[in-house]
Amino acid sequence: MLEQKIRERRMTLEEFAEFAETFARERGEPGTLGLRHLHRLVAGRKSSGEPLGPVRQVTARLLESIFETGIEELLSAPSAVEAVGLEVSAEPPGRADLEIAAALEWLDERAGWAAGMSRAKVRARVRESDPGALLDQRAWRAKVGRRQLVRALDRYYDASASGHGMYRVRYGDEEVVTTVFGRPDWWDGVAALDGQSDRLVFNTEAFMPRGVLSARGVEAAVYRIAESAALGVRVANLPLYRLLNVQVGEVLTGTVGLAPFIEYALTVDLLEREMVDAVSRRHGGLPLRDEYLPDVGAVLDPAGRVCAGGVVALCAIARPRDRFRGEPDFALLVQERSGSVLNAAGRLAVIPKGFHQPLNDVRADVQLGATLLRELEEELFGRTEVDTTSGECRAAAPMHPARWSEPMRWLAEEPGRLRLERTGFGFNLVSGNYEFASLVVIEDEEFWPRFGGQVEANWEAVGLQLYSSLDGGLIGDLIARESWSNEGLFALLQGLRRLREIGGKRVDLPEVELSGL
């Protein structure tokens, strides 16, 4: 509710933190409210992922004075009734209200309904929904293991299509299979993300397939909107890049178009939930998959669907010798995804992980390196203004060097401090998304003493874990965990392969070997 009230004031979190400090000074309130503290209050958790606990009295009094509302209500979940517009308020609509309105308008059009019909349908679904039951559903979906999904998708698709198959490797004595689908040459090369080997181009005339949704598609879209409103899932209807074609080699070439996020979120993104539900309930009905992604031919034809995707990167930060930790190594970062994200909620992933989408410049932002730098700023260095879910960036060039965070500015001062590489590509059979596995290496060990304390995950994660590149056994246990997202594990393994080649004495890991299709 606190976040909703801030959005209703047409403020970003950063703007509100500044406002709160000014308010406290002018009213003689002793409380303070820094931006990171505000992020924790909005998330309801500490940066470690633990529950927030009681709020300091001075902070609670400050917030209560600003909003004239009790702290218990401010830190409660917003009403799903308010989110779908069942009550009329004198306040201007907040960001969540506007995004839901856009989704309802889209659904009216794609279902062939009169204006307002989708709002009535979603309203009825919300009234029937039990928030506790929805939370339980989300919890048991997160418990469906990665290997269960691999087996189910292997049965559904003929994975023996000429020269293609699921990503399969050996790590030490263990074989690991993911739902990332492709060719061995997509996984056996490395290229710098420096603008020279990354030549995706934007096609302004790309046609996006559209039509009236099937009855099953309409039902699933209604449920997704109602569930998102009830659980506070963040949705921002900004454009995504959709892949049209791609050629993967030392130089990456291909074309992309644009699609609104809602077009993706209410169609092909529903495939993951449908598959997870089918596996957990042990029934075989997959009507959405039969419609949107029925066979390997459809998987390998990105232009025939809304094929969104992203960049998923293993981040490795050089650390000097430490009297507790031991010899110089790389800190490897792993996140647990929060329940507020649209996909892979509650699952392990590497960080940064983000959709391939433009900020303000659709041609320049198409380069994968641009997406990766933006995600570093947003997910690890605290730049909230490049968070696309807020939808409120007013800067003409938000990634201009003059606006970089202090850690990013330091990394750019000298060549050799930061390495960005593409380590693999594939289509994720769970969702049909395209996934670019990447590696971020901060090679100057001076970074960790200077900025290690400022590295903090944003709202998309409920926890951030560190692993040492010298601890092969612990990393082996990590790889074996069933809670991994498939694209996250793909990027982790490809990153470890590359890190073993370039890391020298900082790395002591078993070899990651491709084991065929």
Side-chain angles (χ1 to χ4, degrees):
M1 186 63 75
L2 173 62
E3 181 181 19
Q4 180 170 306
K5 287 186 174 295
I6 292 170
R7 300 303 184 196
E8 288 172 356
R9 288 171 173 252
R10 307 281 187 179
M11 287 182 173
T12 66
L13 295 184
E14 186 172 7
E15 288 169 343
F16 179 76
E18 294 176 358
F19 166 80
E21 294 293 319
T22 302
F23 183 96
R25 286 196 305 271
E26 292 177 349
R27 303 296 178 88
E29 291 281 354
T32 60
L33 188 64
L35 180 58
R36 288 184 180 270
H37 187 195
L38 180 58
H39 274 290
R40 287 190 284 270
L41 291 175
V42 167
R45 291 180 178 272
K46 300 177 184 177
S47 57
S48 63
E50 300 173 1
L52 189 62
V55 179
R56 293 175 59 202
Q57 289 186 359
V58 290
T59 303
R61 190 163 59 245
L62 173 61
L63 291 172
E64 288 173 344
S65 297
I66 292 173
F67 293 108
E68 299 181 348
T69 303
I71 191 66
E72 292 81 9
E73 182 178 348
L74 288 173
L75 298 185
S76 66
S79 166
V81 172
E82 292 177 3
V84 293
L86 294 179
E87 295 182 354
V88 178
S89 170
E91 296 287 336
R95 184 78 201 176
D97 302 319
L98 295 175
E99 297 296 357
I100 288 176
L104 296 173
E105 182 180 0
W106 177 92
L107 185 54
D108 280 336
E109 177 187 347
R110 295 298 303 278
W113 290 339
M117 179 70 74
S118 61
R119 186 176 293 276
K121 297 277 189 182
V122 172
R123 178 184 302 162
R125 176 56 69 103
V126 169
R127 282 174 173 159
E128 296 168 1
S129 299
D130 175 3
L134 291 175
L135 288 171
D136 290 343
Q137 280 184 337
R138 187 166 70 182
W140 55 249
R141 281 176 184 147
K143 291 180 180 178
V144 172
R146 181 186 52 78
R147 292 184 218 195
Q148 292 175 278
L149 294 176
V150 167
R151 288 193 294 269
L153 287 161
D154 191 38
R155 288 193 298 268
Y156 186 90
Y157 293 104
D158 177 10
S160 61
S162 61
H164 295 80
M166 291 184 178
Y167 176 78
R168 186 185 304 264
V169 300
R170 296 198 69 83
Y171 179 83
D173 296 329
E174 298 295 323
E175 184 175 65
V176 183
V177 187
T178 75
T179 62
V180 173
F181 187 78
R183 302 199 314 243
D185 58 297
W186 291 356
W187 309 324
D188 210 18
V190 175
L193 292 176
D194 56 4
Q196 301 302 311
S197 59
D198 176 9
R199 297 183 186 172
L200 291 176
V201 295
F202 175 63
N203 182 348
T204 58
E205 300 178 357
F207 170 77
M208 186 171 65
R210 295 173 66 91
V212 176
L213 292 176
S214 66
R216 184 66 184 89
V218 167
E219 180 185 354
V222 167
Y223 184 86
R224 163 57 69 84
I225 297 171
E227 183 183 46
S228 297
L231 297 181
V233 174
R234 295 195 186 188
V235 178
N237 190 31
L238 297 175
L240 297 175
Y241 289 121
R242 58 180 289 257
L243 189 66
L244 302 174
N245 59 75
V246 66
Q247 296 81 42
V248 182
E250 289 185 13
V251 176
L252 175 72
T253 59
T255 57
V256 300
L258 288 180
F261 188 85
I262 284 175
E263 182 82 27
Y264 162 75
L266 297 181
T267 55
V268 291
D269 189 54
L270 301 173
L271 297 180
E272 178 178 2
R273 188 185 66 192
E274 181 188 59
M275 176 59 72
V276 169
D277 288 353
V279 169
S280 63
R281 295 170 183 169
R282 303 187 178 217
H283 66 72
L286 296 169
L288 292 179
R289 187 166 296 271
D290 295 341
E291 181 179 348
Y292 294 139
L293 206 66
D295 50 39
V296 167
V299 173
L300 297 175
D301 178 27
R305 65 182 186 278
V306 180
C307 185
V311 179
V312 193
L314 173 64
C315 183
I317 305 175
R319 299 187 293 189
R321 190 183 190 286
D322 182 88
R323 64 192 181 100
F324 297 113
R325 189 179 61 251
E327 296 304 311
D329 68 350
F330 288 107
L332 309 180
L333 305 183
V334 173
Q335 65 167 315
E336 180 183 342
R337 302 277 285 168
S338 81
S340 297
V341 295
L342 192 70
N343 48 32
R347 297 195 175 271
L348 293 177
V350 291
I351 188 169
K353 167 182 166 60
F355 278 108
H356 187 209
Q357 62 185 147
L359 280 175
N360 291 359
D361 189 337
V362 293
R363 289 197 183 277
D365 290 344
V366 76
Q367 290 194 356
L368 298 178
T371 295
L372 196 50
L373 287 175
R374 182 193 75 216
E375 292 300 319
L376 271 175
E377 285 280 74
E378 175 194 341
E379 295 190 9
L380 290 176
F381 298 161
R383 284 279 307 284
T384 56
E385 66 178 313
V386 293
D387 181 355
T388 55
T389 60
S390 72
E392 295 177 345
C393 180
R394 300 181 178 91
M399 284 299 292
H400 189 282
R403 304 181 72 91
W404 282 345
S405 65
E406 187 182 0
M408 182 64 76
R409 191 173 296 114
W410 184 87
L411 288 171
E413 283 177 355
E414 292 186 16
R417 285 179 171 172
L418 180 66
R419 177 195 295 256
L420 305 179
E421 293 182 335
R422 167 173 51 90
T423 57
F425 169 81
F427 293 103
N428 190 346
L429 293 180
V430 171
S431 59
N433 288 0
Y434 64 93
E435 308 288 359
F436 283 103
S438 306
L439 177 65
V440 175
V441 185
I442 298 177
E443 300 186 291
D444 190 330
E445 67 177 24
E446 188 180 342
F447 177 90
W448 189 256
R450 279 176 174 258
F451 303 109
Q454 297 182 36
V455 175
E456 182 176 345
N458 71 350
W459 65 270
E460 296 179 42
V462 295
L464 195 61
Q465 303 164 17
L466 291 185
Y467 290 84
S468 170
S469 58
L470 295 175
D471 199 339
L474 197 58
I475 291 175
D477 293 339
L478 172 68
I479 290 170
R481 291 172 64 177
E482 282 293 289
S483 54
W484 272 100
S485 64
N486 281 276
E487 68 275 13
L489 187 55
F490 170 54
L492 173 69
L493 291 165
Q494 286 294 93
L496 293 177
R497 287 183 71 200
R498 178 59 173 163
L499 202 60
R500 194 172 183 272
E501 295 175 355
I502 64 176
K505 293 182 179 180
R506 292 182 183 274
V507 176
D508 185 12
L509 300 169
E511 187 174 1
V512 180
E513 300 178 273
L514 293 175
S515 58
L517 301 177

